Amino acid sequence: MADRRTAVVRARVLPSEHAAWKAKAAAAGVSPSDLLRQAMARTRTWTARAVAVERERTRQIARIGNHLNQIARWANTHAEAAEAVEVIAHLVAIERAIARLDRFGD
């Protein structure tokens, strides 16, 4: 015998939120309860550690973006004297830093 859903979840919402919830469920062809279950199954909760990791990752990406802007400004200013190898080396370093961020916090 399959599990039966017997627990009831109650939430206070504005009438406009309730109407929007029902409209989204109807548009998806599911009941509001099904829509809520599907949404909760996709929802990721954030622990304090996850928030800290994401904040650090965002800070690192901002630093990388700043460095990329500096390289672009330098290349645009010194276009005739720019050493392509040197610029490419900086871009490779940025690419590696971004790859490290992909692994950060895992």
Side-chain angles (χ1 to χ4, degrees):
M1 179 176 177
D3 289 338
R4 286 195 53 200
R5 293 184 172 100
T6 57
V8 176
V9 176
R10 292 177 45 110
R12 294 191 187 280
V13 296
L14 296 172
S16 59
E17 292 170 323
H18 188 243
W21 182 2
K22 287 170 56 174
K24 284 181 181 182
V30 297
S31 70
S33 293
D34 283 337
L35 183 69
L36 177 61
R37 282 191 294 272
Q38 290 171 17
M40 289 304 296
R42 289 189 310 266
T43 299
R44 178 178 175 199
T45 56
W46 291 77
T47 63
R49 182 186 183 295
V51 169
V53 166
E54 199 58 33
R55 187 175 294 127
E56 177 62 16
R57 190 181 313 224
T58 300
R59 189 178 73 76
Q60 292 292 331
I61 289 172
R63 287 180 62 204
I64 291 167
N66 184 32
H67 291 151
L68 184 58
N69 285 338
Q70 290 174 7
I71 293 168
R73 188 176 315 117
W74 181 87
N76 287 331
T77 302
H78 303 93
E80 67 283 346
E83 292 284 336
V85 173
E86 185 178 350
V87 172
I88 290 170
H90 286 290
L91 293 174
V92 168
I94 289 171
E95 181 180 37
R96 288 181 181 148
I98 291 170
R100 283 192 304 273
L101 285 177
D102 284 343
R103 294 185 303 272
F104 184 77
D106 292 339

